[in-house]
Coordinates of all heavy atoms in Angstrom, one line a residue:
R1085 N 25.6 176.3 153.1 CA 26.6 175.6 153.8 C 27.9 175.6 153.0 O 28.0 175.3 151.9 CB 26.2 174.2 154.1 CG 27.0 173.4 155.0 CD 26.3 172.1 155.4 NE 27.2 171.4 156.3 CZ 26.8 170.4 156.9 NH1 25.6 169.9 156.8 NH2 27.6 169.8 157.8
N1086 N 29.0 176.0 153.7 CA 30.3 176.2 153.0 C 31.2 175.0 153.0 O 32.1 174.8 152.2 CB 31.0 177.4 153.5 CG 30.3 178.7 153.2 OD1 29.6 178.8 152.2 ND2 30.4 179.7 154.1
Y1087 N 31.0 174.1 154.0 CA 31.9 173.0 154.2 C 31.1 171.7 154.2 O 29.9 171.7 154.7 CB 32.7 173.1 155.5 CG 33.5 174.4 155.5 CD1 33.1 175.5 156.1 CD2 34.8 174.4 154.9 CE1 33.9 176.7 156.1 CE2 35.6 175.5 154.9 CZ 35.1 176.7 155.5 OH 35.8 177.8 155.5
A1088 N 31.7 170.6 153.8 CA 31.1 169.3 153.8 C 32.1 168.2 153.9 O 33.3 168.4 153.7 CB 30.2 169.1 152.6
W1089 N 31.7 167.0 154.3 CA 32.6 165.8 154.5 C 32.6 165.1 153.1 O 31.6 165.0 152.4 CB 32.0 164.9 155.6 CG 32.9 163.7 155.7 CD1 33.9 163.6 156.6 CD2 32.8 162.5 155.1 NE1 34.5 162.4 156.5 CE2 33.8 161.6 155.6 CE3 31.9 162.0 154.1 CZ2 34.0 160.3 155.1 CZ3 32.1 160.7 153.7 CH2 33.1 159.9 154.2
S1090 N 33.8 164.6 152.8 CA 33.9 163.7 151.6 C 35.1 162.8 151.9 O 36.0 163.1 152.7 CB 34.1 164.5 150.3 OG 35.3 165.1 150.3
P1091 N 35.2 161.6 151.2 CA 36.4 160.8 151.4 C 37.6 161.5 150.9 O 37.5 162.4 150.0 CB 36.1 159.6 150.5 CG 34.6 159.5 150.4 CD 34.1 161.0 150.4
Q1092 N 38.8 161.2 151.4 CA 40.0 161.9 151.1 C 40.3 161.7 149.6 O 40.2 160.6 149.0 CB 41.2 161.3 151.8 CG 42.5 162.0 151.7 CD 43.6 161.5 152.6 OE1 43.4 160.6 153.3 NE2 44.7 162.1 152.5
G1093 N 40.5 162.8 148.9 CA 40.8 162.8 147.5 C 39.6 163.1 146.6 O 39.7 163.4 145.4
D1094 N 38.4 163.0 147.2 CA 37.1 163.3 146.5 C 36.6 164.7 146.8 O 36.8 165.2 147.9 CB 36.0 162.3 146.8 CG 36.3 161.0 146.2 OD1 37.1 160.9 145.2 OD2 35.7 160.0 146.6
C1095 N 36.0 165.3 145.9 CA 35.3 166.6 146.2 C 34.0 166.4 146.9 O 33.3 165.4 146.5 CB 35.1 167.4 144.9 SG 36.6 167.9 144.1
A1096 N 33.6 167.3 147.8 CA 32.3 167.2 148.4 C 31.3 167.7 147.4 O 31.5 168.6 146.7 CB 32.3 168.1 149.7
R1097 N 30.2 167.0 147.3 CA 29.1 167.3 146.4 C 27.8 167.6 147.1 O 27.5 167.0 148.1 CB 28.9 166.2 145.4 CG 30.1 165.9 144.5 CD 29.9 164.8 143.5 NE 30.9 164.6 142.6 CZ 32.0 163.9 142.8 NH1 32.1 163.2 144.0 NH2 33.0 163.8 141.9
R1098 N 27.1 168.5 146.5 CA 25.8 168.8 147.1 C 24.8 168.8 145.9 O 25.0 169.4 144.9 CB 25.8 170.2 147.7 CG 24.5 170.6 148.3 CD 24.6 172.0 148.9 NE 23.2 172.4 149.3 CZ 23.0 173.5 150.0 NH1 24.0 174.3 150.3 NH2 21.8 173.8 150.3
H1099 N 23.7 168.1 146.1 CA 22.6 168.0 145.1 C 21.4 168.7 145.6 O 20.8 168.3 146.6 CB 22.3 166.5 144.8 CG 23.5 165.8 144.3 ND1 24.0 165.8 143.0 CD2 24.4 164.9 144.9 CE1 25.0 165.1 142.8 NE2 25.3 164.5 144.0
D1100 N 21.0 169.7 144.9 CA 19.7 170.4 145.2 C 18.9 170.5 144.0 O 19.3 170.4 142.9 CB 20.0 171.9 145.7 CG 20.7 171.9 147.0 OD1 20.4 171.0 147.9 OD2 21.5 172.8 147.2
F1101 N 17.6 170.6 144.2 CA 16.6 170.8 143.1 C 16.1 172.2 143.2 O 15.5 172.6 144.2 CB 15.5 169.7 143.3 CG 16.0 168.3 143.2 CD1 16.3 167.6 144.3 CD2 16.1 167.7 141.9 CE1 16.8 166.3 144.2 CE2 16.6 166.4 141.8 CZ 16.9 165.7 143.0
F1102 N 16.2 172.9 142.1 CA 15.8 174.3 142.0 C 15.0 174.5 140.7 O 15.6 174.3 139.6 CB 17.0 175.3 142.1 CG 16.5 176.7 142.2 CD1 16.0 177.2 143.3 CD2 16.7 177.5 141.1 CE1 15.6 178.5 143.4 CE2 16.3 178.9 141.1 CZ 15.8 179.4 142.3
V1103 N 13.7 174.8 140.8 CA 12.9 174.9 139.6 C 12.1 176.2 139.7 O 11.3 176.4 140.6 CB 11.9 173.7 139.5 CG1 11.0 173.8 138.3 CG2 12.6 172.4 139.5
C1104 N 12.4 177.1 138.8 CA 11.6 178.3 138.6 C 11.4 179.1 139.9 O 10.3 179.4 140.3 CB 10.3 178.1 137.9 SG 10.5 177.4 136.3
G1105 N 12.5 179.2 140.7 CA 12.3 180.0 141.9 C 11.8 179.3 143.1 O 11.6 179.9 144.2
T1106 N 11.6 178.0 143.0 CA 11.0 177.2 144.2 C 12.0 176.1 144.5 O 12.4 175.4 143.6 CB 9.6 176.6 143.8 OG1 8.8 177.7 143.4 CG2 9.0 175.9 145.0
W1107 N 12.3 175.9 145.8 CA 13.1 174.8 146.2 C 12.2 173.5 146.4 O 11.2 173.6 147.0 CB 13.8 175.1 147.5 CG 14.9 176.1 147.3 CD1 14.9 177.4 147.4 CD2 16.3 175.8 146.9 NE1 16.1 178.0 147.1 CE2 17.0 177.0 146.8 CE3 16.9 174.6 146.6 CZ2 18.3 177.0 146.5 CZ3 18.3 174.7 146.3 CH2 18.9 175.9 146.2
Y1108 N 12.7 172.4 146.0 CA 12.0 171.2 146.2 C 12.9 170.2 146.9 O 14.0 170.0 146.4 CB 11.5 170.5 144.9 CG 10.4 171.3 144.2 CD1 10.7 172.3 143.2 CD2 9.1 171.2 144.6 CE1 9.7 173.0 142.7 CE2 8.1 171.9 144.0 CZ 8.4 172.9 143.1 OH 7.4 173.6 142.5
A1109 N 12.5 169.6 148.0 CA 13.3 168.5 148.6 C 13.0 167.2 147.8 O 11.9 167.0 147.4 CB 12.8 168.3 150.1
P1110 N 14.1 166.4 147.6 CA 13.9 165.2 146.9 C 13.1 164.1 147.7 O 13.6 163.3 148.4 CB 15.3 164.7 146.6 CG 16.1 165.4 147.7 CD 15.4 166.6 148.1
L1111 N 11.8 164.2 147.5 CA 10.8 163.2 148.1 C 11.1 163.0 149.6 O 11.5 161.9 150.0 CB 10.8 161.9 147.3 CG 9.7 160.9 147.7 CD1 8.3 161.6 147.5 CD2 9.8 159.7 146.9
L1112 N 11.0 164.1 150.3 CA 11.3 164.0 151.8 C 9.9 163.8 152.5 O 9.0 164.6 152.4 CB 11.9 165.3 152.2 CG 12.2 165.5 153.7 CD1 13.3 164.4 154.1 CD2 12.8 166.8 154.0
L1113 N 9.8 162.7 153.2 CA 8.7 162.3 153.9 C 9.1 162.0 155.3 O 9.9 161.1 155.6 CB 7.9 161.1 153.3 CG 6.7 160.6 154.0 CD1 5.6 161.7 154.0 CD2 6.2 159.4 153.4
I1114 N 8.6 162.8 156.3 CA 8.9 162.6 157.7 C 7.8 162.0 158.4 O 6.7 162.5 158.4 CB 9.4 163.9 158.3 CG1 10.6 164.5 157.6 CG2 9.6 163.7 159.8 CD1 11.0 165.8 158.1
L1115 N 8.0 160.8 159.0 CA 6.9 160.2 159.8 C 7.3 160.1 161.2 O 8.5 159.8 161.5 CB 6.7 158.7 159.3 CG 6.2 158.6 157.9 CD1 6.1 157.1 157.5 CD2 4.8 159.2 157.7
L1116 N 6.4 160.5 162.1 CA 6.7 160.3 163.5 C 6.0 159.1 164.1 O 4.8 158.8 163.8 CB 6.1 161.6 164.3 CG 6.8 162.9 163.9 CD1 6.1 164.0 164.6 CD2 8.3 162.8 164.3
I1117 N 6.8 158.3 164.8 CA 6.3 157.0 165.3 C 6.3 157.1 166.8 O 7.4 157.3 167.4 CB 7.2 155.8 164.8 CG1 7.2 155.8 163.3 CG2 6.7 154.5 165.3 CD1 8.2 154.9 162.7
L1118 N 5.2 156.8 167.4 CA 5.1 156.8 168.9 C 4.6 155.4 169.3 O 3.4 155.1 169.1 CB 4.1 157.9 169.3 CG 4.0 158.1 170.8 CD1 5.3 158.5 171.4 CD2 2.9 159.2 171.1
P1119 N 5.5 154.6 169.8 CA 5.1 153.3 170.3 C 4.8 153.2 171.8 O 5.4 154.0 172.5 CB 6.3 152.4 169.9 CG 7.4 153.3 170.1 CD 6.9 154.7 169.7
A1120 N 4.0 152.3 172.2 CA 3.9 151.9 173.6 C 4.5 150.5 173.7 O 4.0 149.6 173.2 CB 2.4 151.9 174.0
I1121 N 5.6 150.5 174.4 CA 6.4 149.3 174.5 C 6.3 148.6 175.9 O 6.5 149.3 176.9 CB 7.9 149.6 174.2 CG1 8.0 150.2 172.9 CG2 8.7 148.3 174.3 CD1 9.4 150.7 172.6
F1122 N 5.9 147.4 175.9 CA 5.8 146.6 177.2 C 6.8 145.5 177.1 O 7.5 145.3 176.1 CB 4.3 146.1 177.4 CG 3.4 147.2 177.8 CD1 2.9 148.1 176.9 CD2 3.0 147.3 179.2 CE1 2.0 149.1 177.4 CE2 2.2 148.3 179.6 CZ 1.7 149.2 178.7
L1123 N 6.8 144.7 178.1 CA 7.8 143.5 178.1 C 7.5 142.5 177.0 O 8.4 141.9 176.5 CB 7.7 142.8 179.5 CG 8.2 143.6 180.7 CD1 8.0 142.9 182.0 CD2 9.6 144.0 180.5
D1124 N 6.2 142.4 176.6 CA 5.9 141.5 175.5 C 6.1 142.1 174.1 O 5.9 141.4 173.1 CB 4.4 141.1 175.7 CG 4.2 140.3 177.0 OD1 5.1 139.7 177.5 OD2 3.0 140.4 177.4
G1125 N 6.4 143.4 174.0 CA 6.6 144.0 172.8 C 5.8 145.3 172.6 O 5.3 145.8 173.6
V1126 N 5.5 145.7 171.4 CA 4.7 146.9 171.2 C 3.3 146.5 171.3 O 2.8 145.6 170.6 CB 5.1 147.5 169.8 CG1 4.2 148.7 169.5 CG2 6.5 147.9 169.7
I1127 N 2.5 147.2 172.1 CA 1.1 146.9 172.2 C 0.2 148.0 171.5 O -1.0 147.7 171.2 CB 0.6 146.8 173.7 CG1 0.7 148.1 174.4 CG2 1.4 145.7 174.4 CD1 -0.1 148.1 175.7
H1128 N 0.8 149.2 171.3 CA 0.0 150.2 170.6 C 1.0 151.1 169.8 O 2.1 151.4 170.3 CB -0.8 151.0 171.5 CG -1.7 152.0 170.8 ND1 -2.9 151.6 170.2 CD2 -1.7 153.3 170.7 CE1 -3.5 152.6 169.7 NE2 -2.8 153.7 170.0
L1129 N 0.6 151.6 168.6 CA 1.5 152.3 167.8 C 0.7 153.4 167.0 O -0.3 153.1 166.5 CB 2.2 151.4 166.8 CG 3.2 152.0 165.9 CD1 4.5 152.4 166.6 CD2 3.6 151.0 164.8
E1130 N 1.3 154.6 167.0 CA 0.7 155.7 166.2 C 1.8 156.2 165.3 O 2.9 156.4 165.7 CB 0.2 156.9 167.1 CG -0.9 156.5 168.0 CD -2.3 156.6 167.3 OE1 -2.4 157.3 166.3 OE2 -3.2 155.9 167.7
V1131 N 1.4 156.4 164.0 CA 2.3 156.9 163.0 C 1.6 158.1 162.3 O 0.5 157.9 161.8 CB 2.7 155.9 162.0 CG1 3.7 156.5 160.9 CG2 3.4 154.6 162.6
I1132 N 2.2 159.3 162.4 CA 1.6 160.4 161.7 C 2.7 161.1 161.0 O 3.9 161.0 161.2 CB 0.9 161.4 162.7 CG1 1.9 161.9 163.8 CG2 -0.2 160.7 163.4 CD1 1.3 163.0 164.6
N1133 N 2.3 162.0 160.0 CA 3.3 162.7 159.2 C 3.4 164.2 159.6 O 3.7 165.0 158.7 CB 3.0 162.5 157.7 CG 1.6 163.1 157.3 OD1 0.9 163.5 158.2 ND2 1.3 163.1 156.1
C1134 N 3.1 164.5 160.8 CA 3.2 165.9 161.3 C 3.6 165.8 162.8 O 3.6 164.7 163.3 CB 2.0 166.7 161.1 SG 0.5 166.0 161.8
S1135 N 3.8 166.9 163.4 CA 4.1 166.8 164.8 C 2.9 166.4 165.7 O 1.8 166.7 165.3 CB 4.7 168.1 165.3 OG 3.8 169.2 165.1
F1136 N 3.1 165.8 166.8 CA 2.1 165.4 167.7 C 1.5 166.6 168.4 O 2.3 167.4 168.9 CB 2.6 164.4 168.8 CG 2.5 163.0 168.3 CD1 3.6 162.4 167.6 CD2 1.4 162.2 168.5 CE1 3.6 161.1 167.2 CE2 1.3 160.9 168.0 CZ 2.4 160.4 167.4
T1137 N 0.2 166.7 168.5 CA -0.4 167.7 169.3 C -0.9 167.1 170.6 O -0.9 165.9 170.7 CB -1.6 168.4 168.5 OG1 -2.6 167.3 168.3 CG2 -1.2 169.0 167.2
G1138 N -1.4 167.9 171.5 CA -2.0 167.4 172.7 C -3.2 166.5 172.5 O -3.3 165.4 173.1
D1139 N -4.0 166.8 171.5 CA -5.1 165.9 171.1 C -4.7 164.6 170.6 O -5.2 163.5 170.9 CB -6.1 166.6 170.1 CG -6.8 167.8 170.7 OD1 -7.0 167.8 172.0 OD2 -7.2 168.7 170.0
D1140 N -3.6 164.6 169.7 CA -3.1 163.4 169.2 C -2.5 162.5 170.3 O -2.7 161.3 170.3 CB -1.9 163.7 168.2 CG -2.4 164.4 166.9 OD1 -3.6 164.1 166.5 OD2 -1.6 165.1 166.3
F1141 N -1.8 163.1 171.3 CA -1.3 162.3 172.4 C -2.4 161.8 173.2 O -2.3 160.6 173.7 CB -0.3 163.2 173.2 CG 0.4 162.4 174.2 CD1 1.4 161.5 173.9 CD2 0.1 162.5 175.6 CE1 2.0 160.7 174.8 CE2 0.8 161.8 176.5 CZ 1.7 160.9 176.1
A1142 N -3.4 162.5 173.5 CA -4.6 162.0 174.2 C -5.2 160.8 173.6 O -5.6 159.8 174.2 CB -5.6 163.1 174.5
N1143 N -5.3 160.9 172.2 CA -5.9 159.7 171.5 C -4.9 158.5 171.6 O -5.4 157.4 171.7 CB -6.1 160.1 170.0 CG -7.2 161.1 169.9 OD1 -8.2 161.1 170.7 ND2 -7.2 161.9 168.8
F1144 N -3.6 158.8 171.5 CA -2.6 157.7 171.7 C -2.8 157.1 173.1 O -2.8 155.8 173.2 CB -1.2 158.3 171.5 CG -0.2 157.3 171.9 CD1 0.1 156.3 171.0 CD2 0.5 157.4 173.0 CE1 1.1 155.3 171.3 CE2 1.5 156.5 173.4 CZ 1.8 155.5 172.5
I1145 N -2.9 157.9 174.1 CA -3.0 157.3 175.5 C -4.3 156.5 175.6 O -4.4 155.5 176.2 CB -2.9 158.4 176.5 CG1 -1.5 159.0 176.6 CG2 -3.3 157.9 177.9 CD1 -0.5 158.0 177.0
H1146 N -5.4 157.0 175.0 CA -6.6 156.3 175.0 C -6.5 154.9 174.4 O -7.0 153.9 174.9 CB -7.7 157.1 174.3 CG -9.1 156.4 174.3 ND1 -9.8 156.3 175.4 CD2 -9.7 155.8 173.3 CE1 -10.9 155.7 175.1 NE2 -10.9 155.4 173.8
G1147 N -5.8 154.8 173.2 CA -5.5 153.5 172.6 C -4.6 152.6 173.5 O -4.8 151.4 173.5
V1148 N -3.6 153.2 174.2 CA -2.8 152.4 175.1 C -3.6 151.9 176.2 O -3.5 150.7 176.6 CB -1.6 153.3 175.6 CG1 -0.8 152.5 176.7 CG2 -0.7 153.6 174.4
L1149 N -4.4 152.7 176.8 CA -5.2 152.3 177.9 C -6.2 151.2 177.6 O -6.5 150.3 178.4 CB -6.0 153.5 178.6 CG -5.1 154.5 179.2 CD1 -5.9 155.7 179.6 CD2 -4.3 154.0 180.4
N1150 N -6.7 151.1 176.3 CA -7.6 150.1 175.9 C -6.8 148.7 175.9 O -7.4 147.7 175.9 CB -8.1 150.4 174.5 CG -9.2 151.4 174.6 OD1 -9.8 151.7 175.6 ND2 -9.4 152.1 173.5
Q1151 N -5.5 148.7 175.7 CA -4.7 147.5 175.7 C -4.2 147.1 177.0 O -3.6 146.0 177.2 CB -3.5 147.7 174.7 CG -3.8 148.1 173.3 CD -4.6 147.0 172.6 OE1 -4.3 145.8 172.8 NE2 -5.6 147.4 171.8
M1152 N -4.3 147.9 178.1 CA -3.8 147.6 179.4 C -4.8 146.9 180.2 O -6.0 146.8 179.9 CB -3.4 148.9 180.1 CG -2.2 149.6 179.4 SD -1.7 151.1 180.3 CE -1.0 150.4 181.7
Q1153 N -4.3 146.2 181.3 CA -5.1 145.5 182.2 C -5.0 146.0 183.6 O -4.0 146.8 183.9 CB -4.6 144.0 182.2 CG -4.7 143.4 180.8 CD -4.3 141.9 180.8 OE1 -4.6 141.2 181.8 NE2 -3.6 141.5 179.8
P1154 N -5.9 145.6 184.5 CA -5.8 146.1 185.9 C -4.6 145.5 186.6 O -4.1 144.4 186.3 CB -7.1 145.6 186.5 CG -8.0 145.1 185.4 CD -7.1 144.9 184.3
W1155 N -4.1 146.2 187.6 CA -3.0 145.7 188.5 C -3.5 144.5 189.2 O -4.6 144.4 189.6 CB -2.7 146.8 189.5 CG -1.6 146.4 190.5 CD1 -1.8 146.0 191.7 CD2 -0.2 146.3 190.2 NE1 -0.7 145.7 192.3 CE2 0.4 145.8 191.4 CE3 0.6 146.6 189.2 CZ2 1.7 145.6 191.6 CZ3 1.9 146.3 189.3 CH2 2.5 145.9 190.5
P1156 N -2.7 143.5 189.4 CA -1.3 143.2 189.1 C -1.1 142.4 187.8 O -0.1 141.7 187.7 CB -0.8 142.5 190.3 CG -2.0 141.7 190.7 CD -3.2 142.5 190.3
L1157 N -2.0 142.4 186.9 CA -1.9 141.6 185.7 C -0.9 142.1 184.8 O -0.4 143.3 184.9 CB -3.3 141.5 185.0 CG -4.4 140.9 185.7 CD1 -5.7 141.1 185.0 CD2 -4.1 139.4 186.0
P1158 N -0.4 141.4 183.8 CA 0.6 141.9 182.8 C 0.0 143.1 182.1 O -1.2 143.3 181.9 CB 0.8 140.7 181.8 CG 0.4 139.5 182.6 CD -0.7 139.9 183.5
N1159 N 0.9 144.0 181.6 CA 0.6 145.2 180.9 C -0.3 146.1 181.8 O -1.3 146.7 181.3 CB -0.1 144.9 179.6 CG 0.8 144.2 178.7 OD1 2.0 144.1 178.8 ND2 0.2 143.5 177.7
S1160 N 0.0 146.3 183.1 CA -0.8 147.1 184.0 C -0.1 148.3 184.5 O -0.7 149.1 185.2 CB -1.2 146.2 185.2 OG -0.1 145.8 185.9
V1161 N 1.2 148.6 184.1 CA 1.9 149.7 184.6 C 2.2 150.7 183.4 O 2.8 150.2 182.4 CB 3.2 149.3 185.3 CG1 4.0 150.5 185.7 CG2 2.9 148.4 186.5
L1162 N 1.9 151.9 183.5 CA 2.2 152.9 182.5 C 3.2 153.9 183.1 O 3.0 154.5 184.1 CB 1.0 153.7 182.1 CG 1.1 154.8 181.1 CD1 1.6 154.2 179.7 CD2 -0.2 155.5 180.9
I1163 N 4.4 154.1 182.4 CA 5.4 155.0 182.9 C 5.6 156.1 181.8 O 5.8 155.8 180.7 CB 6.7 154.2 183.1 CG1 6.6 153.2 184.2 CG2 7.8 155.2 183.5 CD1 7.8 152.3 184.4
M1164 N 5.5 157.3 182.3 CA 5.8 158.5 181.4 C 6.7 159.4 182.1 O 6.7 159.6 183.3 CB 4.5 159.2 181.1 CG 3.5 158.4 180.3 SD 2.1 159.3 179.7 CE 1.3 159.9 181.1
N1165 N 7.6 160.0 181.3 CA 8.5 161.0 181.9 C 7.9 162.4 182.0 O 6.7 162.5 181.8 CB 9.9 161.0 181.2 CG 9.8 161.4 179.8 OD1 8.7 161.8 179.3 ND2 10.9 161.2 179.1
N1166 N 8.6 163.4 182.2 CA 8.1 164.8 182.4 C 8.1 165.6 181.1 O 8.2 166.8 181.2 CB 8.8 165.5 183.5 CG 8.0 166.6 184.1 OD1 6.8 166.6 184.0 ND2 8.7 167.5 184.7
V1167 N 8.1 165.0 179.9 CA 8.0 165.8 178.7 C 6.7 166.6 178.7 O 5.7 166.2 179.2 CB 8.1 164.8 177.5 CG1 7.9 165.6 176.2 CG2 9.3 164.0 177.5
C1168 N 6.8 167.8 178.1 CA 5.6 168.7 178.2 C 4.4 168.1 177.6 O 3.3 168.4 178.1 CB 6.0 170.1 177.6 SG 6.4 170.0 175.9
I1169 N 4.5 167.3 176.5 CA 3.3 166.8 175.9 C 2.6 165.7 176.9 O 1.4 165.5 176.8 CB 3.6 166.2 174.6 CG1 2.3 166.0 173.8 CG2 4.3 164.8 174.7 CD1 2.5 165.8 172.3
H1170 N 3.4 165.2 177.8 CA 2.8 164.2 178.8 C 1.9 165.0 179.8 O 1.1 164.4 180.5 CB 3.8 163.4 179.5 CG 4.6 162.5 178.6 ND1 5.7 161.9 179.0 CD2 4.4 162.1 177.3 CE1 6.2 161.1 178.0 NE2 5.4 161.3 177.0
N1171 N 2.1 166.3 179.9 CA 1.3 167.1 180.8 C 0.1 167.8 180.2 O -0.3 168.8 180.8 CB 2.3 168.1 181.5 CG 3.4 167.5 182.3 OD1 3.2 166.5 182.9 ND2 4.6 168.0 182.1
V1172 N -0.4 167.3 179.1 CA -1.6 167.9 178.5 C -2.7 167.7 179.5 O -2.9 166.6 180.1 CB -1.9 167.1 177.2 CG1 -3.2 167.5 176.6 CG2 -0.8 167.4 176.2
P1173 N -3.6 168.8 179.7 CA -4.7 168.6 180.6 C -5.6 167.5 180.2 O -5.9 167.3 179.0 CB -5.5 170.0 180.4 CG -4.4 170.9 179.9 CD -3.5 170.1 179.1
G1174 N -6.0 166.7 181.2 CA -6.9 165.5 181.0 C -6.2 164.2 180.9 O -6.8 163.2 181.1
I1175 N -4.9 164.2 180.6 CA -4.1 162.9 180.5 C -4.1 162.2 181.8 O -4.4 161.0 181.9 CB -2.7 163.1 180.0 CG1 -2.8 163.7 178.5 CG2 -1.9 161.8 180.0 CD1 -3.2 162.7 177.5
R1176 N -3.7 162.9 182.9 CA -3.6 162.3 184.2 C -5.0 161.7 184.6 O -5.1 160.6 185.1 CB -3.1 163.3 185.2 CG -2.9 162.7 186.6 CD -2.4 163.7 187.6 NE -2.1 163.0 188.8 CZ -0.9 162.9 189.3 NH1 0.1 163.5 188.7 NH2 -0.7 162.3 190.5
E1177 N -6.0 162.5 184.5 CA -7.4 162.0 184.8 C -7.8 160.8 184.0 O -8.4 159.8 184.6 CB -8.4 163.1 184.7 CG -8.2 164.3 185.6 CD -7.1 165.3 185.2 OE1 -6.6 165.2 184.0 OE2 -6.7 166.1 186.0
M1178 N -7.5 160.8 182.7 CA -7.8 159.6 181.9 C -7.1 158.4 182.4 O -7.7 157.3 182.4 CB -7.4 159.9 180.4 CG -7.8 158.9 179.4 SD -7.1 159.2 177.7 CE -7.2 160.9 177.5
V1179 N -5.8 158.5 182.7 CA -5.0 157.3 183.2 C -5.6 156.9 184.6 O -5.7 155.7 184.8 CB -3.5 157.7 183.3 CG1 -2.7 156.6 184.0 CG2 -3.0 158.0 181.9
E1180 N -5.9 157.8 185.5 CA -6.3 157.4 186.8 C -7.7 156.8 186.8 O -8.0 156.0 187.6 CB -6.3 158.6 187.7 CG -4.9 159.0 188.1 CD -4.8 160.3 188.9 OE1 -5.9 161.0 189.1 OE2 -3.7 160.6 189.4
E1181 N -8.6 157.2 185.8 CA -9.9 156.5 185.7 C -9.8 155.1 185.3 O -10.6 154.3 185.7 CB -10.7 157.3 184.7 CG -11.3 158.6 185.1 CD -12.0 159.3 184.0 OE1 -12.2 158.7 182.9 OE2 -12.4 160.5 184.2
Q1182 N -8.8 154.8 184.5 CA -8.6 153.4 184.0 C -8.1 152.6 185.2 O -8.4 151.5 185.5 CB -7.5 153.4 182.9 CG -7.4 152.1 182.2 CD -8.6 151.8 181.3 OE1 -9.4 152.7 181.0 NE2 -8.7 150.6 180.7

């Protein structure tokens, strides 16, 4: 990268770690958090340190469905948009069985 932001009058600085031909990120840990949020707050939460797979999402939905109640009781409506991971085979059937 050739350009960077810095306050006026200061030089832009870049700090990298380079050891014997290998690049190291300074303790970079990425966590993905997937919450199920209802009117009362978060009822189910998954935190993983890699990207979600279809199986991970199916396990998440299974955990959410265990916290839900039949219609018309509170926590009885599940809304998902059309993101591709929501269309994993078996998710719709799992939700409709509940």
Side-chain angles (χ1 to χ4, degrees):
R1085 188 172 182 168
N1086 295 328
Y1087 300 97
W1089 179 91
S1090 69
Q1092 187 174 1
D1094 287 344
C1095 294
R1097 293 182 176 88
R1098 178 178 174 176
H1099 300 281
D1100 290 328
F1101 297 93
F1102 186 73
V1103 179
C1104 297
T1106 305
W1107 286 94
Y1108 293 96
L1111 192 58
L1112 180 62
L1113 178 62
I1114 298 173
L1115 297 176
L1116 295 176
I1117 302 170
L1118 184 61
I1121 303 171
F1122 284 78
L1123 294 175
D1124 298 332
V1126 176
I1127 66 163
H1128 187 72
L1129 181 72
E1130 292 280 333
V1131 179
I1132 62 173
N1133 61 353
C1134 58
S1135 59
F1136 274 90
T1137 64
D1139 292 336
D1140 293 331
F1141 187 71
N1143 291 334
F1144 171 75
I1145 292 297
H1146 181 70
V1148 171
L1149 293 175
N1150 287 337
Q1151 301 295 324
M1152 293 184 69
Q1153 300 182 39
W1155 175 260
L1157 297 173
N1159 299 340
S1160 62
V1161 176
L1162 179 65
I1163 299 173
M1164 295 191 298
N1165 60 9
N1166 201 23
V1167 175
C1168 62
I1169 198 165
H1170 294 170
N1171 297 320
V1172 171
I1175 296 290
R1176 183 181 187 116
E1177 292 80 12
M1178 187 187 322
V1179 171
E1180 288 176 350
E1181 285 176 7
Q1182 191 74 10

